[in-house]
Amino acid sequence: MTDSNKPPLAVFDLDNTLADTAHRQRFLERKPRDWDAFFAAAPQDPPLEEGVAMARESAGECEVVYLTGRPERCRRDTLDWLAAHGLPEGRLYMRRNDDRRPARRTKLTVLRDLARTREIRVLVDDDELVCEDAERAGFTVVRARWTAPSAALKAAQEREGRT
């Protein structure tokens, strides 16, 4: 049962939704993929104005929360990045460091948990598989299509369960 006394949630992905990961894609294009370097470079991600504007606008009516496939070990860098770019304060849901399930599985689990007690107004995400599964589950989705798709990132999200 949802709590109607609390504002609805607007759920935002980070990578390629709010943060431009293009400068660090090179770490995923080599074999083996260099995950440590990929995540270490995240604090230098430029913000994606379309996503940032949407998050700020959503904060007027909703509680903003962040749902990322980044591992928990990136929490401090991620919180610092959100604050440095003036994004609304909000809870940050991250993948356990040892969780290698596809992003669409991990994110849908969190969405369903949140929906038990809160209305979810919207999910904003760039991952087509996450978006499709969320829509099938009844969630309203905005596809973040303001960056060029990355085959390496898609493989990381779906097959390797890394982001």
Side-chain angles (χ1 to χ4, degrees):
M1 181 170 182
T2 60
D3 185 345
S4 59
N5 294 325
K6 293 186 177 182
L9 300 178
V11 182
F12 284 83
D13 172 47
L14 292 173
D15 292 336
N16 288 335
T17 298
L18 299 174
D20 187 348
T21 65
H23 73 101
R24 54 188 170 112
Q25 293 300 318
R26 67 185 188 277
F27 298 117
L28 300 183
E29 293 163 357
R30 52 176 79 151
K31 298 287 183 192
R33 299 183 202 282
D34 188 344
W35 290 104
D36 290 336
F38 178 76
F39 289 119
Q44 285 75 52
D45 288 354
L48 291 165
E49 288 310 315
E50 297 91 333
V52 170
M54 191 177 286
R56 289 177 181 151
E57 184 179 318
S58 295
E61 293 183 10
C62 299
E63 178 183 331
V64 173
V65 298
Y66 303 98
L67 175 58
T68 181
R70 291 180 187 183
E72 186 64 44
R73 70 180 179 274
C74 299
R75 179 171 291 275
R76 180 77 272 152
D77 284 346
T78 302
L79 290 171
D80 290 348
W81 186 92
L82 290 165
H85 294 287
L87 280 123
E89 287 189 22
R91 288 174 289 163
L92 173 60
Y93 294 89
M94 303 185 86
R95 178 189 296 274
R96 288 187 329 267
N97 288 330
D98 63 349
D99 188 346
R100 296 288 183 267
R101 293 175 296 157
R104 61 193 168 100
R105 304 259 294 301
T106 60
K107 289 184 176 184
L108 201 57
T109 298
V110 173
L111 287 170
R112 286 183 170 137
D113 286 347
L114 291 172
R116 286 192 187 116
T117 59
R118 299 288 290 278
E119 174 195 346
I120 296 179
R121 174 82 43 92
V122 66
L123 165 68
V124 183
D125 201 302
D126 70 304
D127 185 325
E128 287 295 326
L129 295 172
V130 169
C131 292
E132 289 169 11
D133 281 5
E135 284 177 334
R136 271 195 290 276
F139 296 102
T140 300
V141 172
V142 171
R143 284 170 166 76
R145 291 183 171 148
W146 35 84
T147 61
S150 162
L153 187 60
K154 183 173 183 167
Q157 292 170 324
E158 182 58 20
R159 291 195 293 276
E160 297 178 35
R162 291 290 192 140
T163 184

